[in-house]
Amino acid sequence: MIEFIRFKRGQQQAKYIRLEPQFEGNAFLPRYALVPLAFRTQTSGLPLVSIGESVNEGQMIARAGNSASAHVHASVPGIVSGIVDTQLPNGHSFRGLHIKTGGSFGILGKQRTPYLWKQSDQTGLIHFLDLAGLVNTSGETISLAEDIRTAVKQGIKTLTVMLYDKDPTCLLDSFLARRFIREVAEGINIIAHAMSATKIIVETGTEKKERALFDTIGTIIPDRDLAHITVSQTYPAGTAHTRSAERDAVVIDASTALSVYESVQQNQPMLTTYLLLTGKTLEHAKVIKVRIGTPIGHLIEECGGFKSKNTHIIINGLLRGTLVDSLDLPAGKGIKSIHAVGKDIDIQQQLEECGHCGQCLRSCPAYIDPINTVRHIQRDRYTAETLRSIALCSGCACCSAVCPVRIPLSAIIKSAAEQGAGHAL
């Protein structure tokens, strides 16, 4: 189905193909796992194992590097065969532990006693979420335990739950909410218990069937103050990211709640994640439960492979997503979707292909010139205007979405901001 995204400024419309995904279940076990040590550049974990060392399924292999990061566990048993360092096209660095799968699985297929979270006090439950390496993926991926600790210190008692997708091209959270609503509700209840929440705000889409999700949550969590808010899909034309419901609250999504439920139910660390694989060059659109560290190329094979030889891969949605050019990059915490949309990736060539159509400039709600800013960043020419533009950029990615040659304008500007852009004028 052809869908259109309309923007707050200008008359541009972005067109994309929306495929209804099917739930595939568990992905095949990978021959090797490349387990990321971080989900953001600034949060690299500290390895606890060495090359050549044997690891068990679920073993902690890296400690959180700081309060914003999470502990890392081996998603498969095997031998640590290397430490990989590479660079993504958007300028982000990537580091991971390469584990060659082998030996017996100590968790897979085994009956495990659930963690008794209802009998646990607040400190004990937060400690469990911390040791399990669970993350909150409702915005920038962060440690869930640290998010809750901060809320407790600040006296925040409201939990906001998003059962829809901010990026309309990424349908993972709405899909998981519909398919696993009872499990998601249990996860919500666990997080509410961990932060001693007195109120839970459930946000859904505007369709009637979305109301049923809230009603189901009410039957599973009857003893808390529940409120329902419908959110029309206004991003990027509207202001979905600054709603009053997100203020003075811990905000989570369906993916986070489901991960918490599964870790608590199996009494195990976060070893798996759910991914949406879609795009016009894939044979089928699917949602798959995958082992963290599984190369995305293996997952694409499970979807029937590419229809065309060359492809252009974007992770985490067409609007705010990141371009990648390697099928060896792994599924990690915080990655929700993989879009295969055609064309090889060569940022420099894309810059040269820019036709100066002005669509990025006309669509920018911050009134900056995205292509001019990116050209200055690429040439390491940080003028006063360039630094001002980087500071003003909200990361809405309207510019990237309307660009005819798919230059990752927003990702490049965001990367410059994350790296500090502390360059001399």
Side-chain angles (χ1 to χ4, degrees):
M1 184 191 333
I2 301 295
E3 294 279 346
F4 294 90
I5 303 171
R6 293 170 174 82
F7 298 90
K8 190 173 183 179
R9 277 193 66 208
Q11 302 300 316
Q12 289 79 18
Q13 291 185 136
K15 181 174 71 173
Y16 69 99
I17 296 177
R18 174 172 170 171
L19 303 174
E20 289 300 325
Q22 297 179 339
F23 182 61
E24 185 72 4
N26 293 324
F28 295 125
L29 292 171
R31 297 185 298 274
Y32 68 87
L34 181 54
V35 183
L37 294 183
F39 34 79
R40 294 209 307 273
T41 304
Q42 305 94 326
T43 61
S44 185
L46 307 174
L48 300 175
V49 294
S50 304
I51 296 176
E53 188 173 338
S54 297
V55 295
N56 300 316
E57 181 189 15
Q59 177 182 335
M60 186 181 294
I61 55 177
R63 288 195 176 277
N66 54 40
S67 60
S69 59
H71 300 310
V72 181
H73 303 80
S75 57
V76 296
I79 304 294
V80 178
S81 53
I83 299 178
V84 175
D85 288 281
T86 188
Q87 193 86 358
L88 297 179
N90 65 349
H92 287 201
S93 60
F94 166 80
R95 195 178 198 204
L97 285 173
H98 192 286
I99 302 174
K100 184 178 180 181
T101 306
S104 61
F105 284 77
I107 295 176
L108 179 65
K110 305 294 192 301
Q111 187 68 34
R112 296 176 64 84
T113 303
Y115 176 73
L116 301 178
W117 64 273
K118 290 183 180 180
Q119 285 73 50
S120 176
D121 59 15
Q122 184 181 54
T123 301
L125 181 51
I126 294 176
H127 184 61
F128 173 87
L129 300 178
D130 187 10
L131 287 180
L134 289 157
V135 297
N136 184 356
T137 58
S138 63
E140 290 286 350
T141 305
I142 59 173
S143 163
L144 176 62
E146 189 60 29
D147 201 12
I148 294 174
R149 286 193 186 105
T150 300
V152 171
K153 290 178 183 177
Q154 296 176 353
I156 294 174
K157 297 287 186 178
T158 300
L159 176 64
T160 297
V161 184
M162 302 188 308
L163 300 185
Y164 67 99
D165 303 283
K166 284 185 176 180
D167 186 333
T169 68
C170 180
L171 306 174
L172 183 67
D173 284 303
S174 56
F175 181 96
L176 294 178
R178 290 193 300 270
R179 186 170 183 91
F180 300 106
I181 186 56
R182 302 191 72 84
E183 293 85 351
V184 167
E186 276 294 333
I188 294 169
N189 201 13
I190 294 168
I191 296 171
H193 183 71
M195 60 178 289
S196 299
T198 57
K199 184 173 185 178
I200 300 175
I201 300 173
V202 179
E203 299 181 342
T204 69
T206 56
E207 297 182 23
K208 288 184 178 179
K209 62 182 178 181
E210 308 291 343
R211 172 76 196 195
L213 300 177
F214 173 73
D215 294 337
T216 301
I217 292 173
T219 63
I220 296 174
I221 315 177
D223 56 343
R224 295 188 188 272
D225 181 9
L226 293 175
H228 181 221
I229 295 178
T230 58
V231 179
S232 59
Q233 186 54 264
T234 57
Y235 179 77
T239 55
H241 292 276
T242 57
R243 299 186 313 278
S244 60
E246 290 193 12
R247 298 169 189 166
D248 299 322
V250 171
V251 183
I252 64 170
D253 52 17
S255 300
T256 300
L258 185 57
S259 293
V260 168
Y261 167 79
E262 292 182 343
S263 284
V264 168
Q265 187 66 22
Q266 295 296 319
N267 199 356
Q268 67 181 38
M270 184 177 179
L271 305 179
T272 60
T273 188
Y274 289 86
L275 268 180
L276 166 69
L277 292 100
T278 187
K280 65 181 182 181
T281 64
L282 286 183
E283 290 289 347
H284 307 285
K286 297 181 180 181
V287 172
I288 307 178
K289 185 178 180 181
V290 307
R291 293 265 162 171
I292 291 171
T294 302
I296 62 177
H298 293 188
L299 302 175
I300 289 171
E301 289 178 6
E302 289 197 42
C303 292
F306 296 122
K307 291 180 181 178
S308 56
K309 184 176 181 180
N310 297 325
T311 194
H312 184 134
I313 301 171
I314 301 172
I315 59 175
N316 286 345
L318 300 179
L319 282 174
R320 308 188 73 182
T322 300
L323 289 159
V324 296
D325 60 356
S326 172
L327 296 179
D328 293 327
L329 289 172
K333 300 176 183 180
I335 296 181
K336 292 185 174 183
S337 68
I338 298 172
H339 280 76
V341 295
K343 292 187 179 181
D344 286 329
I345 298 170
D346 185 333
I347 291 177
Q348 192 56 45
Q349 181 179 342
Q350 286 176 298
L351 286 171
E352 293 170 359
E353 290 177 355
C354 173
H356 305 285
C357 64
Q359 291 194 54
C360 61
L361 176 62
R362 290 192 294 271
S363 67
C364 178
Y367 294 88
I368 68 174
D369 186 342
I371 185 62
N372 186 58
T373 302
V374 165
R375 289 190 186 282
H376 279 73
I377 291 172
Q378 294 290 297
R379 295 167 183 167
D380 205 28
R381 291 175 54 192
Y382 288 85
T383 65
E385 180 60 27
T386 302
L387 293 175
R388 175 182 171 277
S389 297
I390 292 172
L392 287 174
C393 177
S394 66
C396 70
C398 294
C399 55
S400 300
V402 300
C403 177
V405 293
R406 284 298 307 190
I407 302 172
L409 300 164
S410 176
I412 294 171
I413 296 173
K414 180 181 177 182
S415 178
E418 289 180 347
Q419 292 172 14
H423 302 76
L425 301 181

